[in-house]
Amino acid sequence: GERKAKAERMFELMDGFLKNDPISLQKDILHHVEYTVARSRFSFDDFEAYQALAHSVRDRLIERWHDTQMHFKRKDPKRIYFLSLEFLMGRSLSNSVINLGIRDQYADALSQLGFEFEVLAEQEGDAALGNGGLARLSACQMESLATLDYPAVGYGLRYQYGLFRQVIVDGFQHEQPDYWLNFGNPWEIERVHVTYPVKFYGTVMEESLQEEKCKVWVPGEVVEAVAYDNPIPGYETRNTINLRLWAAKPSDQHNMESYNTGDYIDAVVNRQRAENISSILYPDDRSYQGKELRLKQQYFFVSASVQDIIRRFKDTHSNFDDFPEKVALHLNDTHPSLAIAEVMRVLVDEEHLGWNRAWDIICKLFSFTTHTVSPEGLEKIPVDLLGSLLPRHLQIIYDINFNFVEELKNRIGLDYDRLARMSIVEEGAVKSIRMANLSILCSHSVNGVSRVHSEMLKKKLFKDFYELWPDKFQYKTNGATQRRWIVVSNPSLCALISKWLGTEAWVRDVDLLIGLREHAANLELHQEWKMVKKVNKIRLAEYIEAMSGLKVSLDAMFDVQTKRIHEYKRQLLNILGIIHRYDCIKNMDNKDRMKVVPRVCIVGGKAAPGYETAKKIIKLCHAVAEKINNDRDVGDLLKLVFIPDYNVSVAELVIPGADLSQHISTAGHEASGTGSMKFLMNGCLLLATEDGSTTEIMEEIGEDNIFLFGAKVHEVSALREKGSALRVPLQFSRVVRMVRDGYFGFKDYFKSLCDDIEGGNDYYLLGADFTSYVEAQAAADKAFVDQERWTQMSILCTAGCFFFALASHHQQTDDHNLLIRELH
Amino acid sequence: GERKAKAERMFELMDGFLKNDPISLQKDILHHVEYTVARSRFSFDDFEAYQALAHSVRDRLIERWHDTQMHFKRKDPKRIYFLSLEFLMGRSLSNSVINLGIRDQYADALSQLGFEFEVLAEQEGDAALGNGGLARLSACQMESLATLDYPAVGYGLRYQYGLFRQVIVDGFQHEQPDYWLNFGNPWEIERVHVTYPVKFYGTVMEESLQEEKCKVWVPGEVVEAVAYDNPIPGYETRNTINLRLWAAKPSDQHNMESYNTGDYIDAVVNRQRAENISSILYPDDRSYQGKELRLKQQYFFVSASVQDIIRRFKDTHSNFDDFPEKVALHLNDTHPSLAIAEVMRVLVDEEHLGWNRAWDIICKLFSFTTHTVSPEGLEKIPVDLLGSLLPRHLQIIYDINFNFVEELKNRIGLDYDRLARMSIVEEGAVKSIRMANLSILCSHSVNGVSRVHSEMLKKKLFKDFYELWPDKFQYKTNGATQRRWIVVSNPSLCALISKWLGTEAWVRDVDLLIGLREHAANLELHQEWKMVKKVNKIRLAEYIEAMSGLKVSLDAMFDVQTKRIHEYKRQLLNILGIIHRYDCIKNMDNKDRMKVVPRVCIVGGKAAPGYETAKKIIKLCHAVAEKINNDRDVGDLLKLVFIPDYNVSVAELVIPGADLSQHISTAGHEASGTGSMKFLMNGCLLLATEDGSTTEIMEEIGEDNIFLFGAKVHEVSALREKGSALRVPLQFSRVVRMVRDGYFGFKDYFKSLCDDIEGGNDYYLLGADFTSYVEAQAAADKAFVDQERWTQMSILCTAGCFFFALASHHQQTDDHNLLIRELH
Ligand SMILES: Cc1ncc(COP(=O)(O)O)c(C=O)c1O
Ligand SMILES: Cc1ncc(COP(=O)(O)O)c(C=O)c1O
């Protein structure tokens, strides 16, 4: 009666969705200026206009987000939970309005108000909650799952400080904390009521419950996790899925004893410190190992997510029979792998299912992707640390391992070496838990991220496991979404493709891009294609000039290497190559100089704060640039630019403007690489080693359309074994000597860089690959001179990238867990 | 051209104010449910409804707030800046809608949607950014300034944790941190762009600027202050002033050096710690002295406020000639008194005005209110601490003092004792800065908070200064606003008053309340008056039952003492009196018991976490209550209830339901007291000592209408001098003995309480005042029996409170700075 009347009244008041005609959009924006941003309609700047604009988009996201939640609640499909400690989302505005299909309406509405959409979009800061490839992959994955109508949910951490900002002072990298929330974040919805307590430390007790003994964990510390929901809209669908990020918050459940004022203040401040768990992203993919705070972060986000997942399941189910039919958990690397022990703990200790039943369920839930290539890269947690922070989880892992080793003995006999290798527990100076072993054991599928990577897993890293369970091992080559990397970041190319394919359907169905192949030789397309590249090069050149004052020639080849700075990624090889080029030019006469293909070499990327060698490489890049860029002999023939603070937004600017890009890791070190695919999409040619996904790219676009060089995966160890007996080319020694001798200054500082690559120390084989690298560069020069050939190659790159678009058909087929597609 | 077209377009789109008819209100509320709270319109709970409701009110506040800012920007009147470290705002919803004049419209709109306004209002948490009287006064002051159309601005700190929450476990007080922002705060507007850097530590250098030497402070630490604006609406006016609270935020201006990952993480975490400045309110009005964090808080909020004030002034003025005509700064106690040195520093070091010109300006800017009664209560900052945290300010204070002492020597000669007393610098074991002396010297007016207090300042505390500058010394008795304490919290009484006065004008013009006097004997009014009291007593009784399970009789006299627990406020005297009453009842025969006036004694208040004695008093109260409430001999004749977590919301519930309230501080210890006035407004009789504002209350309502007792201010020191020679009544010794002997348990724990009031230790004179206290209580009993007399007294209390309503005419006349009234 009364309730119904009330409900009807509400219906009446809010019967429709928000309207998207220009007038409605303008009204909404101005409403947000006045009431959300709380500025006067007569004085607000571009940033405030952006905020208001973003809030009006948010309103529209919320509508779809709701509908999606309601739909899935009703349908109760199997949900895919994607657990990742890192999501590198970048900006959200353009992506959102494009996926909502209202980009043009907004642009119109704004221009009538005297604002430009592009300009406002530039006001947005990056959400940089991740380090690099792994994190950007998570972001692309979420967008693709939304577009393909999957009932997926992402879970992660809402770091208060994202990846540090890189500032260059005198050529040296400095780090600034990235307090990205300083100016508010309209893309998240704070769920003050969705909170879970997360426990740490303490002890495990035994209790009797109805005759049964059970374990009770009495924690020593409790921190509250609060949900922040980030709606992820799909393209051309109402499906808008949720990325739920957890923040640690002071919890008010606990009394504090404080017998004088000092104590009270101290007590509060201490509690606040405990709640700093979610405050900072570790800026390195390696060196967090064994750090307590990092382990706390992992468990914090895992525990909150598992509680949330089980709460959702129990909302509609009265027992756990259907749990594996309704829940799929994906572990993005081992960072979230404590989820295994956590689900086990909840099922056994809290839901009292009994160990065996719980174990049966566990074995059906998890799939696991590893991004690691070497045994040293595998995550290990010291037993002491785990036992103190999560005493019950350590017990559970021991119990799992005990059962596993017993079973193993039955299957493989008493091969103690192999048993020791496969055990989850590593004995040794520091007794540790091997998280990868735990993940492999408990997951029904273990994924590599490229074919090459997968082979390495099977043959080396996880050989023992592969022999035991060959069916578990799969691979899905990493990918990227064309919506983000073409439609959002390269609108001119987007329009051109649609024009030539005669449809926009490729934005959803990326396979259609193959259609470009048939036009690859069409000179009319060539003209337009080159124009598009030029537009993007102009934009990039302007950015470079604004940033560094350096004017670069648009006729030059824009040769880009942007990615995290790592020895294995060999930015140093690139720089030495540039020195070589410089040296050659210097030694040429004028006539020869005329024949040189002018280059603008662009390098960018962050070094982990504690990674001294990587920081030296950055400094070397600046020192070399200083020399070259100021040398009148060289002029426009060669320029070197370091672009600071490489992040998603910078990538969106740099990638469309690149002619050539370098992916030159020592073979066997890059699990997949995803940067390459984004360059490829944007018609940028690749100069690369046969590593990670490059092999597959090569197969797809053809060997003629890529500049390959260097040792192959199987050749690397032999080369390394030669040590100082390995002959390096003279030209290599010459450029290293230039650095050693202080030709670019900072002699002492660069000494260790030189030592690291000479005299048998050259682990990453810069010397061994140098000659073929220089040759590949020469081949690229040659191709560039023939603009017709170059343009055709460029078109074929874009046409071939369909294979690497995420969640395309090629990528789905082999993981049945990712196939619970739910169209609505 | 283009800009104009754009502006016109905006006008068109947003030509009106938000509408306040029920349908518009409903639409707005539901819009906020869906898009701000981001809940489905079909499932939201009371809290979410409150949030949406609050946001729709916020929208309306923002409109007026804007108009007010624009108006004052145009008019450029002299602005009153009210600087206070504490504001005890309590809840905002009801107060806001009443002052906006749309309470009834909202109630209608909600009831049609199936919600009750009252119920939603209960969802709001208190903003408890203050300890007690001083802080609630600041809140009442802001509301009154808004209502009286002053161009006032409040400045304070946005503590993340307000005053701790008091939880009682087994009768003992425990403290819980009050993370009041956990569920969002719709009443504030975050001004991400209004930020100022605040400097700390470092050194002072000399520089030459155009031949002139000047000082440059090179700080060692910089923290960013971000503004949060809290609109304060006036009643029946569009004037909506701003309370700007500062929060400390990570600043991104500074690089961090970190040579390995551990360092980077540590560096960020350390910086975050430095930014904890605004995180916590000191829960004690005394014991923060000399604490670095507290001093940082003071300077942090002062520096940000001064930068904001000067920025605003410079927006419309090109030099500082008019500064004193446009800026009045009010210091609420000495907590913000660093503002003196800060303004001086800015004028001299940054604006380069020259010392003498700056000093002339300073002397015209400040007025100062002190709330202190004893020399020990005066704030002192150790020179070492100040010199390290604020080196330049220490120099400036030294220079000010040097000039002052020189001038003083000219005026009073070489009276070294007096010079030492008046000096801003206190020599001694810990060399310190006397903030009160600095404030008196630099302020043009020094205010006490009641007449009694003012006399004490002149005759004792600041005697030397008074003799020098008698004209500076004034007093303004504290007050409260009837809008908050009658209209919001006692709607039944509000309606009754309007009925009998025939107008609602008293809500704005409180003088009209005197009109009640002529009806004081009217029996028809008596009936209605008693009904109103009964309604409020029922509400309070229900609260008590819900909270403690205790049923109390509505026929009993509700006798309340709620305020911070302090020895000088003598809650212990009250409890001993209750024990005495209990003892008497126990010893009566049944016939005599029939004559006892039944009482419900209600005590409430927080003890500072480090204040052991106050905590024992709370425990004693519970121990006594335990005994009495379970004694069948006593039944309804006597009950004792402790109401936990006394805060503004609890006060709003308790005060209207009280028949009698106690304000029984040892004479000379309460500077003013404001609780008494709120009880008075609500027709509650007072039982009080002649202390603080009570003397004035007594004069206003007549001695017959108040139960006075105890030693007077001038008698106290003589009584104290008697020490153990002071004779205490037998009945006092008897009740203390009951506690000592463990009659209420916890013998050892209560021993020190007993020791403190016996054998010459009775500093607060509980023994000396006990007889007259018991007599006053008997007089109250007697009066209560005669309900006609009681009701008449009650009416006269309300009628007499007009005098203490804030910013009434009585309070304005003597401070010309508060008279720049700007009607619009
Ligand atoms: C900011 C950022 N960092 C790192 C990467 C990964 O680059 P790569 O796969 O070349 O290492 C990407 C890829 O898009 C990126 O956007
Ligand atoms: C929560 C609270 N604490 C303390 C006080 C001050 O009370 P008193 O002046 O009686 O000490 C008040 C006055 O309203 C109050 O609301």
Side-chain angles (χ1 to χ4, degrees), chain A residues 781-799:
Chain A
D781 281 332
K782 203 166 147 230
F784 194 71
V785 175
D786 181 353
Q787 277 287 304
E788 195 173 318
R789 179 175 158 218
W790 186 272
T791 306
Q792 177 156 348
M793 287 168 82
S794 170
I795 295 168
L796 291 173
C797 282
T798 303

PDB file of all heavy atoms in Angstrom, chain A residues 781-799:
ATOM      1  N   ASP A 781      66.512   2.868 -42.289  1.00  0.00           N
ATOM      2  CA  ASP A 781      66.817   4.083 -43.044  1.00  0.00           C
ATOM      3  C   ASP A 781      66.500   3.896 -44.515  1.00  0.00           C
ATOM      4  O   ASP A 781      65.884   4.752 -45.146  1.00  0.00           O
ATOM      5  CB  ASP A 781      68.317   4.417 -42.916  1.00  0.00           C
ATOM      6  CG  ASP A 781      68.643   5.078 -41.589  1.00  0.00           C
ATOM      7  OD1 ASP A 781      67.744   5.746 -41.027  1.00  0.00           O
ATOM      8  OD2 ASP A 781      69.787   4.924 -41.110  1.00  0.00           O
ATOM      9  N   LYS A 782      66.937   2.771 -44.980  1.00  0.00           N
ATOM     10  CA  LYS A 782      66.762   2.511 -46.401  1.00  0.00           C
ATOM     11  C   LYS A 782      65.272   2.458 -46.755  1.00  0.00           C
ATOM     12  O   LYS A 782      64.837   3.035 -47.750  1.00  0.00           O
ATOM     13  CB  LYS A 782      67.436   1.171 -46.738  1.00  0.00           C
ATOM     14  CG  LYS A 782      67.817   1.035 -48.194  1.00  0.00           C
ATOM     15  CD  LYS A 782      68.770  -0.138 -48.418  1.00  0.00           C
ATOM     16  CE  LYS A 782      68.518  -0.755 -49.777  1.00  0.00           C
ATOM     17  NZ  LYS A 782      68.360  -2.200 -49.722  1.00  0.00           N
ATOM     18  N   ALA A 783      64.524   1.786 -45.918  1.00  0.00           N
ATOM     19  CA  ALA A 783      63.091   1.669 -46.186  1.00  0.00           C
ATOM     20  C   ALA A 783      62.412   3.029 -46.125  1.00  0.00           C
ATOM     21  O   ALA A 783      61.508   3.339 -46.902  1.00  0.00           O
ATOM     22  CB  ALA A 783      62.450   0.727 -45.161  1.00  0.00           C
ATOM     23  N   PHE A 784      62.874   3.871 -45.206  1.00  0.00           N
ATOM     24  CA  PHE A 784      62.226   5.163 -45.012  1.00  0.00           C
ATOM     25  C   PHE A 784      62.378   6.066 -46.222  1.00  0.00           C
ATOM     26  O   PHE A 784      61.502   6.874 -46.538  1.00  0.00           O
ATOM     27  CB  PHE A 784      62.820   5.832 -43.770  1.00  0.00           C
ATOM     28  CG  PHE A 784      62.012   7.010 -43.277  1.00  0.00           C
ATOM     29  CD1 PHE A 784      60.770   6.814 -42.665  1.00  0.00           C
ATOM     30  CD2 PHE A 784      62.480   8.309 -43.413  1.00  0.00           C
ATOM     31  CE1 PHE A 784      60.034   7.889 -42.209  1.00  0.00           C
ATOM     32  CE2 PHE A 784      61.737   9.389 -42.948  1.00  0.00           C
ATOM     33  CZ  PHE A 784      60.513   9.177 -42.337  1.00  0.00           C
ATOM     34  N   VAL A 785      63.510   5.905 -46.906  1.00  0.00           N
ATOM     35  CA  VAL A 785      63.758   6.727 -48.088  1.00  0.00           C
ATOM     36  C   VAL A 785      62.725   6.419 -49.165  1.00  0.00           C
ATOM     37  O   VAL A 785      62.241   7.302 -49.855  1.00  0.00           O
ATOM     38  CB  VAL A 785      65.184   6.467 -48.623  1.00  0.00           C
ATOM     39  CG1 VAL A 785      65.400   7.216 -49.923  1.00  0.00           C
ATOM     40  CG2 VAL A 785      66.214   6.871 -47.570  1.00  0.00           C
ATOM     41  N   ASP A 786      62.369   5.168 -49.244  1.00  0.00           N
ATOM     42  CA  ASP A 786      61.334   4.760 -50.204  1.00  0.00           C
ATOM     43  C   ASP A 786      59.965   4.937 -49.545  1.00  0.00           C
ATOM     44  O   ASP A 786      59.412   4.004 -48.961  1.00  0.00           O
ATOM     45  CB  ASP A 786      61.572   3.299 -50.570  1.00  0.00           C
ATOM     46  CG  ASP A 786      60.551   2.787 -51.574  1.00  0.00           C
ATOM     47  OD1 ASP A 786      59.581   3.539 -51.872  1.00  0.00           O
ATOM     48  OD2 ASP A 786      60.704   1.647 -52.026  1.00  0.00           O
ATOM     49  N   GLN A 787      59.406   6.135 -49.631  1.00  0.00           N
ATOM     50  CA  GLN A 787      58.207   6.440 -48.855  1.00  0.00           C
ATOM     51  C   GLN A 787      57.024   5.569 -49.247  1.00  0.00           C
ATOM     52  O   GLN A 787      56.147   5.279 -48.445  1.00  0.00           O
ATOM     53  CB  GLN A 787      57.854   7.929 -48.981  1.00  0.00           C
ATOM     54  CG  GLN A 787      58.657   8.807 -48.005  1.00  0.00           C
ATOM     55  CD  GLN A 787      58.180   8.660 -46.559  1.00  0.00           C
ATOM     56  OE1 GLN A 787      57.015   8.874 -46.273  1.00  0.00           O
ATOM     57  NE2 GLN A 787      59.075   8.258 -45.674  1.00  0.00           N
ATOM     58  N   GLU A 788      56.992   5.126 -50.475  1.00  0.00           N
ATOM     59  CA  GLU A 788      55.876   4.279 -50.888  1.00  0.00           C
ATOM     60  C   GLU A 788      55.940   2.949 -50.148  1.00  0.00           C
ATOM     61  O   GLU A 788      54.954   2.486 -49.576  1.00  0.00           O
ATOM     62  CB  GLU A 788      55.911   4.066 -52.392  1.00  0.00           C
ATOM     63  CG  GLU A 788      54.604   3.524 -52.919  1.00  0.00           C
ATOM     64  CD  GLU A 788      54.616   3.485 -54.441  1.00  0.00           C
ATOM     65  OE1 GLU A 788      55.111   4.457 -55.046  1.00  0.00           O
ATOM     66  OE2 GLU A 788      54.148   2.475 -55.005  1.00  0.00           O
ATOM     67  N   ARG A 789      57.134   2.387 -50.165  1.00  0.00           N
ATOM     68  CA  ARG A 789      57.304   1.117 -49.461  1.00  0.00           C
ATOM     69  C   ARG A 789      56.989   1.290 -47.972  1.00  0.00           C
ATOM     70  O   ARG A 789      56.281   0.493 -47.356  1.00  0.00           O
ATOM     71  CB  ARG A 789      58.743   0.602 -49.645  1.00  0.00           C
ATOM     72  CG  ARG A 789      58.950  -0.702 -48.917  1.00  0.00           C
ATOM     73  CD  ARG A 789      60.315  -1.348 -49.154  1.00  0.00           C
ATOM     74  NE  ARG A 789      60.587  -2.260 -48.060  1.00  0.00           N
ATOM     75  CZ  ARG A 789      61.767  -2.457 -47.493  1.00  0.00           C
ATOM     76  NH1 ARG A 789      62.831  -1.796 -47.952  1.00  0.00           N
ATOM     77  NH2 ARG A 789      61.908  -3.287 -46.504  1.00  0.00           N
ATOM     78  N   TRP A 790      57.559   2.360 -47.403  1.00  0.00           N
ATOM     79  CA  TRP A 790      57.374   2.614 -45.964  1.00  0.00           C
ATOM     80  C   TRP A 790      55.889   2.718 -45.606  1.00  0.00           C
ATOM     81  O   TRP A 790      55.399   2.100 -44.666  1.00  0.00           O
ATOM     82  CB  TRP A 790      58.118   3.901 -45.582  1.00  0.00           C
ATOM     83  CG  TRP A 790      58.103   4.170 -44.099  1.00  0.00           C
ATOM     84  CD1 TRP A 790      57.149   4.842 -43.413  1.00  0.00           C
ATOM     85  CD2 TRP A 790      59.066   3.749 -43.133  1.00  0.00           C
ATOM     86  NE1 TRP A 790      57.454   4.886 -42.085  1.00  0.00           N
ATOM     87  CE2 TRP A 790      58.645   4.215 -41.884  1.00  0.00           C
ATOM     88  CE3 TRP A 790      60.267   3.019 -43.219  1.00  0.00           C
ATOM     89  CZ2 TRP A 790      59.358   3.990 -40.718  1.00  0.00           C
ATOM     90  CZ3 TRP A 790      60.983   2.797 -42.057  1.00  0.00           C
ATOM     91  CH2 TRP A 790      60.522   3.276 -40.814  1.00  0.00           C
ATOM     92  N   THR A 791      55.165   3.465 -46.423  1.00  0.00           N
ATOM     93  CA  THR A 791      53.755   3.674 -46.120  1.00  0.00           C
ATOM     94  C   THR A 791      52.978   2.365 -46.223  1.00  0.00           C
ATOM     95  O   THR A 791      52.116   2.062 -45.403  1.00  0.00           O
ATOM     96  CB  THR A 791      53.162   4.737 -47.074  1.00  0.00           C
ATOM     97  OG1 THR A 791      53.977   5.901 -46.996  1.00  0.00           O
ATOM     98  CG2 THR A 791      51.743   5.096 -46.685  1.00  0.00           C
ATOM     99  N   GLN A 792      53.317   1.594 -47.209  1.00  0.00           N
ATOM    100  CA  GLN A 792      52.665   0.302 -47.342  1.00  0.00           C
ATOM    101  C   GLN A 792      52.929  -0.582 -46.121  1.00  0.00           C
ATOM    102  O   GLN A 792      52.036  -1.217 -45.574  1.00  0.00           O
ATOM    103  CB  GLN A 792      53.187  -0.391 -48.613  1.00  0.00           C
ATOM    104  CG  GLN A 792      52.602  -1.774 -48.779  1.00  0.00           C
ATOM    105  CD  GLN A 792      52.623  -2.235 -50.226  1.00  0.00           C
ATOM    106  OE1 GLN A 792      52.876  -1.445 -51.147  1.00  0.00           O
ATOM    107  NE2 GLN A 792      52.333  -3.508 -50.427  1.00  0.00           N
ATOM    108  N   MET A 793      54.178  -0.607 -45.680  1.00  0.00           N
ATOM    109  CA  MET A 793      54.501  -1.369 -44.479  1.00  0.00           C
ATOM    110  C   MET A 793      53.686  -0.863 -43.288  1.00  0.00           C
ATOM    111  O   MET A 793      53.165  -1.640 -42.482  1.00  0.00           O
ATOM    112  CB  MET A 793      56.001  -1.227 -44.144  1.00  0.00           C
ATOM    113  CG  MET A 793      56.934  -1.990 -45.081  1.00  0.00           C
ATOM    114  SD  MET A 793      58.681  -1.515 -44.850  1.00  0.00           S
ATOM    115  CE  MET A 793      59.134  -2.506 -43.436  1.00  0.00           C
ATOM    116  N   SER A 794      53.583   0.444 -43.216  1.00  0.00           N
ATOM    117  CA  SER A 794      52.844   1.057 -42.108  1.00  0.00           C
ATOM    118  C   SER A 794      51.384   0.609 -42.107  1.00  0.00           C
ATOM    119  O   SER A 794      50.834   0.214 -41.081  1.00  0.00           O
ATOM    120  CB  SER A 794      52.967   2.590 -42.223  1.00  0.00           C
ATOM    121  OG  SER A 794      52.095   3.225 -41.337  1.00  0.00           O
ATOM    122  N   ILE A 795      50.795   0.622 -43.306  1.00  0.00           N
ATOM    123  CA  ILE A 795      49.403   0.183 -43.413  1.00  0.00           C
ATOM    124  C   ILE A 795      49.268  -1.279 -43.002  1.00  0.00           C
ATOM    125  O   ILE A 795      48.347  -1.667 -42.285  1.00  0.00           O
ATOM    126  CB  ILE A 795      48.875   0.404 -44.845  1.00  0.00           C
ATOM    127  CG1 ILE A 795      48.839   1.909 -45.158  1.00  0.00           C
ATOM    128  CG2 ILE A 795      47.484  -0.206 -45.018  1.00  0.00           C
ATOM    129  CD1 ILE A 795      48.621   2.235 -46.628  1.00  0.00           C
ATOM    130  N   LEU A 796      50.239  -2.074 -43.422  1.00  0.00           N
ATOM    131  CA  LEU A 796      50.163  -3.498 -43.089  1.00  0.00           C
ATOM    132  C   LEU A 796      50.339  -3.750 -41.591  1.00  0.00           C
ATOM    133  O   LEU A 796      49.830  -4.726 -41.047  1.00  0.00           O
ATOM    134  CB  LEU A 796      51.198  -4.282 -43.901  1.00  0.00           C
ATOM    135  CG  LEU A 796      50.877  -4.350 -45.416  1.00  0.00           C
ATOM    136  CD1 LEU A 796      52.021  -5.001 -46.187  1.00  0.00           C
ATOM    137  CD2 LEU A 796      49.553  -5.100 -45.651  1.00  0.00           C
ATOM    138  N   CYS A 797      51.071  -2.872 -40.947  1.00  0.00           N
ATOM    139  CA  CYS A 797      51.185  -2.989 -39.496  1.00  0.00           C
ATOM    140  C   CYS A 797      49.816  -2.835 -38.840  1.00  0.00           C
ATOM    141  O   CYS A 797      49.377  -3.664 -38.037  1.00  0.00           O
ATOM    142  CB  CYS A 797      52.129  -1.917 -38.941  1.00  0.00           C
ATOM    143  SG  CYS A 797      53.861  -2.327 -39.185  1.00  0.00           S
ATOM    144  N   THR A 798      49.141  -1.750 -39.188  1.00  0.00           N
ATOM    145  CA  THR A 798      47.823  -1.519 -38.602  1.00  0.00           C
ATOM    146  C   THR A 798      46.884  -2.679 -38.941  1.00  0.00           C
ATOM    147  O   THR A 798      46.150  -3.180 -38.089  1.00  0.00           O
ATOM    148  CB  THR A 798      47.244  -0.185 -39.117  1.00  0.00           C
ATOM    149  OG1 THR A 798      48.167   0.855 -38.795  1.00  0.00           O
ATOM    150  CG2 THR A 798      45.900   0.119 -38.459  1.00  0.00           C
ATOM    151  N   ALA A 799      46.949  -3.096 -40.203  1.00  0.00           N
ATOM    152  CA  ALA A 799      46.072  -4.186 -40.628  1.00  0.00           C
ATOM    153  C   ALA A 799      46.350  -5.468 -39.853  1.00  0.00           C
ATOM    154  O   ALA A 799      45.443  -6.261 -39.586  1.00  0.00           O
ATOM    155  CB  ALA A 799      46.239  -4.432 -42.120  1.00  0.00           C
TER     156      ALA A 799
END
